[in-house]
Amino acid sequence: MSNPSRALHLVAVALLLTPVACTTTTDPKPPRDTTSATQVTGPLCAALPTGTDPGNPSFLADQPVDQALRWIPTLTTFEAALRTSGALTDLPTGTDVTILAPSDDAFAATFSEDNWDDLMTRHTDQLRTLLKAHLITGTHTIDDLVTAGTTATLDGTTVTVTRTGPTARLADRADAVCADYRATNARIHIINAVLGALPKTAGDTDERAH
Amino acid sequence: MRHQRPLAIAVATLLTLTLTTAPTPANAQSAAAPNQVTNLTIRQADGYATLAWQPVDGATDYQIERTAVDATGTPTGAPTIVGIWRPNRQINQQAPTFADAGFNPGDTFQWRVRARAGTTEQPYSDPVVATTTAPWGNPDTPGEQLRTQWETAHAAQYTSDTDEYAYTAAIDALSDRVRVVELGRTVQNRPINMLVIGYPTPATTPEAVAATAPVAINCNVHGNEPGDREACLIMARQLAFSTDPRITDLLSHTTVLIVPTINGDGRANNTRGNSTGQDLNRDYSLIRQPETAAYIKMVRDYRPVAGYDGHEFGNSRAGDLPMLPPRHQNVAQPIFDQSQDMIEGHMYTKGAEAGWWACPYGCEGGGNVGLSEETILRNTLGLKNVANSLLELRSSGGQTRPDEGNTANNRRRKTYSALWTFHQFLDYHRADRNDILTSRAESIEIQAANTGRLVFRGSRPIPAHPAPHPGDSPPPLDAPRADLILDNAPCAYKLTDEQYNGARTDGPGGVGTTVAQRIAAHGWQVIKTNDGWYVPLNQPERGLIPLLLDTQGVEKLTDGERVYPTLTGRRNGPLTVTGFTCAADATINGPVTVQPGAALVATATTISGPVSANRAAGVVLADSTVNGPLQITTTNAISIIDVTIAGPASLTGNTTGTTAALLAGNTIRGPLNCTANSTAPTNLGVANTVHGPRTNQCAAL
């Protein structure tokens, strides 16, 4: 940034793009509230794209579910696993689906890296079963799931859903950390633990080694 | 002398001062309250802001607070503690600086800093409001206006494979400085691209690029560690289009080689390994996979002299940027020292200025990693005489930053810390180019001399950083086990035709390339006689050869037969070499004639008389003296390294195949002529001293 004229230019552009009301405006109307239609709830939501950020919840509401999942930063492991397993594309076209999506941190706390790569590259059947443990037919808000008390995932397991303070607890091990994302024919609830029957392989001192 | 370069440091400091924007001071400084932080300044850089302040007596640590504000300075978000600074880095503990990062570049913030005594919070400093640096490149200038998918998505998405190809192709199309070359394909047939960047244009052939002492950055070997890759893609745009004199100066003195995605399949599926589940950073010596083979062939052809290898690190107790040199004990000492100088001499110093916490790799609890596997690129490159370092981007917030999971904020912090590191890497190469080349030349000669023990696994120690503050715990000692040391190094390994050319099953889908193909990818000299294939140790990658060919190798390719010297001590009279002859510590008084089909390998040997070879299998000499002329014709394998030749030398009509004849670091007291060789001889960047004229293919050696 040794060129002062370019620096000034960039500052000007940045100011133009800043999405806040200018002090000299005479129009008191606030920016359009884009969150009311798609209110996501939970402690993680503030760290995810909000407002008019790329990948915000209102934008995702109009996206196919596989595309919507690609926009949620903390779901990279789940999104790739879902894609690799084919669990979603196995469903008949147009099927409504609710996705309990464990965060990247949840996967890292559950599977060692070697174990995870082994599942991803060599054991697609196990992987598909694992992913089905996170899919429910129909679109269900987190409140609907809590009201029902139990729900059945596509791997044939019955999962309990209880209210715990401001959020919901699933299978007595996972909390909804950002619930009620909408996508086309879908609801997405981000959870903080992996469901399903596979054993934990991540060690307490496990760390990724270069 | 490697740690004392006042002139270079002074120049680097001047460049830094002239090229970064002036820091923003706190305005309207009020009279300081007791224990209030004063003199807070903020300097903006690409993706981060460096805070500096006057330390407070008795402070245990400092909290850095950031608040989003609008153009008038009115808060638009809640104040957040974004960092803790405490005197825990290796140097300059008394001059606090903190690189705040994670914010969306271009946004405006207010910062304050306060000291804590124990857990007791002291008054905040006066606030400083500043607008951060927007993503690099004028949006209205062709080329500069390019953005990666990661940038346009505000880090919510990583750059996809197809977006990478489009972005790098656009850079290639719009910048004369950049050429994108395809190094190979992944198992699933994704291209492995490399940006070759030079000013005003990159040299046109790999050999010509090699002559510029290039630097190489491997950005993404583990598919689920993508932070460095995004930094590489941004830096590629800066190098391609910046008019900053620092950039054009850098590119005028080297070629920058950037491999954004060696593991495209793993990146697409977010797996650590490639599509077969193989961890590619456990394969750079064995090169069973097409991805690693492509990289190793690149190293052979482009000959980078320095490198960085980008990773992310799950250790939450580490500093921001753990780094580690090639530690394998077979790496020549000058390469290890040079790599350590880059890390501890340069990165620690510059990190303390910028506010990044560069640190030793081990950190707390890093007990089982950072070792001597030659399958790891860091070690493989060291064994190929490349000064280099591993770079880790700590995955989580760690001890000094919020734990934000895999969110955009955390991604930006990682990527912009990598961008800082890679720029510093280029600055280090620019400032220390001569030292890097000297250490490389010394190492090549040390290796080719084939002296000293061989270690199959075992690391050089990395001592804790010296006082005043050792900072982190160093990586584990990892001394070699007694059964992994070979004191009596052989002269060569002999392979049968089955071992050398036989089919293998250790690649993707149970199909592996042959040992012959892998040795060719490494670029080693091989001598074929009528009783087998010989790989002599007196060549530049001497430290790597036994790891793949000795029966004691921990991760070896095959069980080669150790061949020991057949000629030592004093010998008088003419010598006619038949079969495979290995001379070591020998004195040969008389002319030496290498017969057709025969081979002469020699180290630490003095030959008083002419040496001639015609239609020989090979002549491989190192660390020796020839008191007479040297004439080699129509021969298949030739390497002459660190040899004094008291007479003319000529290489004529040799058929060395794809592996060029080596003439490196020799002193020739006469003319040097190379004519009609199938592949032009090379010096690996290690110049020869020639008292007579150099002609034809050796004119530039």
Side-chain angles (χ1 to χ4, degrees):
Chain A
M1 205 48 67
S2 57
N3 181 335
S5 65
R6 194 172 73 221
L8 283 174
H9 184 73
L10 284 179
V11 169
V13 169
L15 289 175
L16 277 174
L17 293 174
T18 305
V20 293
C22 175
T23 51
T24 57
T25 184
T26 55
D27 182 358
K29 195 169 64 178
R32 187 171 65 95
D33 181 1
T34 55
T35 59
S36 60
T38 48
Q39 188 68 47
V40 292
T41 57
L44 184 66
C45 299
L48 301 174
T50 59
T52 56
D53 288 343
N56 68 71
S58 300
F59 170 77
L60 298 195
D62 298 328
Q63 297 290 307
V65 62
D66 59 330
Q67 292 303 312
L69 288 168
R70 286 178 176 241
W71 277 106
I72 302 176
T74 57
L75 298 186
T76 55
T77 313
F78 180 80
E79 188 277 327
L82 196 61
R83 201 160 18 98
T84 301
S85 71
L88 198 59
T89 48
D90 283 354
L91 298 177
T93 307
T95 305
D96 287 355
V97 66
T98 297
I99 298 178
L100 308 172
S103 66
D104 291 320
D105 285 347
F107 277 99
T110 307
F111 300 105
S112 74
E113 281 208 302
D114 284 349
N115 181 211
W116 184 247
D117 267 25
D118 199 38
L119 282 169
M120 285 287 284
T121 55
R122 298 191 185 96
H123 300 287
T124 308
D125 287 347
Q126 277 187 52
L127 187 69
R128 188 181 293 114
T129 303
L130 173 71
L131 271 294
K132 283 181 172 176
H134 299 86
L135 303 181
I136 305 164
T137 354
T139 54
H140 309 285
T141 66
I142 201 73
D143 282 344
D144 289 346
L145 292 175
V146 168
T147 302
T150 61
T151 187
T153 49
L154 291 184
D155 67 334
T157 304
T158 299
V159 172
T160 61
V161 188
T162 55
R163 172 65 61 190
T164 53
T167 180
R169 190 159 181 84
L170 298 97
D172 202 26
R173 63 168 128 156
D175 295 309
V177 288
C178 188
D180 286 319
Y181 269 97
R182 289 196 303 139
T184 306
N185 299 330
R187 282 271 171 175
I188 302 165
H189 310 302
I190 304 175
I191 60 177
N192 65 357
V194 177
L195 306 178
L198 291 179
K200 175 180 174 177
T201 53
D204 291 335
T205 58
D206 191 53
E207 63 188 35
R208 291 188 237 171
H210 70 285
Chain B
M1 286 299 289
R2 286 206 168 76
H3 285 272
Q4 295 169 2
R5 295 194 201 85
L7 182 61
I9 288 168
V11 170
T13 306
L14 273 176
L15 284 171
T16 307
L17 286 176
T18 54
L19 295 175
T20 46
T21 48
T24 313
N27 47 5
Q29 193 89 34
S30 51
N35 295 331
Q36 182 183 21
V37 166
T38 57
N39 294 336
L40 175 64
T41 60
I42 308 206
R43 188 185 297 274
Q44 302 299 330
D46 285 327
Y48 69 95
T50 300
L51 286 75
W53 59 90
Q54 186 68 36
V56 172
D57 284 346
T60 308
D61 62 15
Y62 299 84
Q63 290 181 310
I64 292 94
E65 178 204 71
R66 187 207 311 150
T67 309
V69 298
D70 65 16
T72 67
T74 306
T76 58
T80 307
I81 301 293
V82 293
I84 304 288
W85 191 89
R86 53 190 188 189
N88 52 359
R89 65 190 181 203
Q90 279 62 46
I91 59 172
N92 282 4
Q93 295 93 345
Q94 299 315 310
T97 55
F98 185 84
D100 184 29
F103 49 78
N104 183 48
D107 288 355
T108 302
F109 299 97
Q110 170 192 286
W111 284 272
R112 298 191 300 173
V113 175
R114 69 180 171 196
R116 291 194 299 187
T119 55
T120 308
E121 292 152 355
Q122 307 299 319
Y124 267 118
S125 68
D126 289 338
V128 178
V129 173
T131 298
T132 58
T133 304
W136 188 90
N138 188 325
D140 298 324
T141 302
E144 286 192 22
Q145 101 290 358
L146 294 168
R147 296 290 182 271
T148 63
Q149 181 179 352
W150 183 85
E151 290 176 289
T152 54
H154 289 198
Q157 293 184 323
Y158 284 106
T159 303
S160 70
D161 48 2
T162 51
D163 192 76
E164 176 199 314
Y165 311 145
Y167 173 83
T168 54
I171 290 177
D172 184 337
L174 292 168
S175 173
D176 290 341
R177 303 176 192 172
V178 178
R179 180 170 70 249
V180 177
V181 298
E182 185 178 309
L183 299 179
R185 293 263 168 161
T186 66
V187 173
Q188 294 179 339
N189 206 35
R190 285 188 172 85
I192 300 167
N193 288 334
M194 179 169 77
L195 297 113
V196 183
I197 310 176
Y199 182 84
T201 60
T204 52
T205 65
E207 184 66 28
V209 170
T212 68
V215 297
I217 302 174
N218 192 33
C219 310
N220 184 214
V221 62
H222 292 142
N224 59 349
E225 302 175 8
D228 309 84
R229 171 173 174 265
E230 299 295 342
C232 281
L233 294 173
I234 294 169
M235 190 168 82
R237 180 172 86 238
Q238 295 172 324
L239 297 179
F241 302 108
S242 175
T243 54
D244 184 335
R246 169 181 160 267
I247 297 292
T248 48
D249 174 69
L250 285 173
L251 294 176
S252 300
H253 290 86
T254 189
T255 307
V256 180
L257 307 173
I258 298 175
V259 181
T261 321
I262 186 179
N263 184 14
D265 300 345
R267 175 78 284 274
N269 286 325
N270 201 52
T271 55
R272 175 181 173 90
N274 72 355
S275 63
T276 74
Q278 173 63 48
D279 183 341
L280 295 179
N281 204 28
R282 300 295 183 274
D283 194 51
Y284 282 105
S285 55
L286 293 162
I287 48 176
R288 294 161 291 194
Q289 304 292 324
E291 295 91 350
T292 43
Y295 202 85
I296 289 304
K297 288 177 191 170
M298 183 283 285
V299 173
R300 176 195 66 191
D301 295 341
Y302 289 84
R303 296 203 301 269
V305 301
Y308 252 89
D309 186 31
H311 293 261
E312 296 189 23
F313 194 21
N315 183 333
S316 61
R317 297 171 301 281
D320 294 327
L321 296 165
M323 300 183 190
L324 191 67
R327 296 185 65 198
H328 195 293
Q329 285 203 0
N330 283 3
V331 173
Q333 186 78 45
I335 287 294
F336 176 82
D337 291 346
Q338 191 74 50
S339 305
Q340 277 289 77
D341 179 60
M342 177 166 72
I343 295 168
E344 301 200 4
H346 185 87
M347 293 296 181
Y348 288 6
T349 306
K350 295 299 173 183
E353 290 171 12
W356 294 112
W357 180 11
C359 66
Y361 177 77
C363 312
E364 297 172 45
N368 62 342
V369 288
L371 307 181
S372 64
E373 294 99 316
E374 71 279 4
T375 53
I376 293 174
L377 182 62
R378 166 177 61 83
N379 284 320
T380 318
L381 285 180
L383 292 163
K384 290 175 175 287
N385 306 303
V386 180
N388 81 103
S389 176
L390 162 84
L391 173 67
E392 297 278 11
L393 314 176
R394 186 192 56 241
S395 295
S396 66
Q399 303 179 77
T400 59
R401 298 170 192 269
D403 191 2
E404 298 170 302
N406 193 8
T407 61
N409 281 357
N410 198 37
R411 292 176 178 190
R412 284 187 287 244
R413 189 261 309 166
K414 287 186 285 189
T415 285
Y416 289 116
S417 67
L419 183 61
W420 173 84
T421 306
F422 295 151
H423 274 287
Q424 287 298 327
F425 171 47
L426 300 185
D427 286 343
Y428 177 76
H429 176 275
R430 176 69 184 94
D432 289 52
R433 191 178 191 272
N434 289 342
D435 284 346
I436 293 169
L437 295 182
T438 299
S439 67
R440 176 175 167 85
E442 289 172 1
S443 296
I444 286 173
E445 293 180 8
I446 288 169
Q447 296 284 14
N450 189 21
T451 55
R453 70 182 191 179
L454 294 169
V455 168
F456 295 101
R457 280 280 162 86
S459 295
R460 290 185 191 281
I462 300 202
H465 198 268
H469 198 296
D472 306 81
S473 49
L477 184 62
D478 187 39
R481 293 192 336 232
D483 63 330
L484 293 177
I485 297 172
L486 181 62
D487 284 314
N488 184 16
C491 168
Y493 289 96
K494 181 183 173 186
L495 307 184
T496 66
D497 197 60
E498 174 57 26
Q499 288 174 322
Y500 190 67
N501 285 318
R504 296 182 65 92
T505 59
D506 57 352
V511 180
T513 54
T514 62
V515 169
Q517 288 170 305
R518 298 188 209 187
I519 286 177
H522 283 296
W524 301 342
Q525 302 288 337
V526 179
I527 299 170
K528 182 186 189 310
T529 69
N530 58 16
D531 69 339
W533 304 84
Y534 291 85
V535 182
L537 282 186
N538 61 342
Q539 48 179 325
E541 296 184 15
R542 179 251 190 188
L544 184 57
I545 293 167
L547 309 182
L548 290 172
L549 301 184
D550 195 281
T551 190
Q552 270 181 273
V554 178
E555 291 185 72
K556 61 196 171 190
L557 281 176
T558 191
D559 295 307
E561 176 192 342
R562 292 175 191 163
V563 177
Y564 281 95
T566 51
L567 201 167
T568 59
R570 180 171 292 272
R571 188 190 189 286
N572 294 322
L575 172 67
T576 300
V577 173
T578 58
F580 183 87
T581 295
C582 180
D585 302 305
T587 302
I588 302 168
N589 292 317
V592 174
T593 305
V594 186
Q595 290 286 88
L600 174 65
V601 173
T603 52
T605 288
T606 300
I607 301 172
S608 293
V611 173
S612 65
N614 180 35
R615 290 189 289 127
V619 178
V620 179
L621 314 177
D623 186 28
S624 290
T625 300
V626 176
N627 289 318
L630 173 71
Q631 185 174 44
I632 305 175
T633 57
T634 330
T635 290
N636 296 328
I638 300 167
S639 172
I640 315 290
I641 298 176
D642 190 21
V643 174
T644 299
I645 301 167
S650 75
L651 273 58
T652 307
N654 295 295
T655 50
T656 55
T658 55
T659 305
L662 298 184
L663 283 173
N666 302 297
T667 300
I668 300 171
R669 299 206 176 91
L672 171 63
N673 179 48
C674 303
T675 306
N677 300 292
S678 63
T679 304
T682 177
N683 65 7
L684 295 180
V686 182
N688 298 285
T689 302
V690 183
H691 294 175
R694 302 171 218 218
T695 49
N696 298 316
Q697 288 173 314
C698 288
L701 297 192

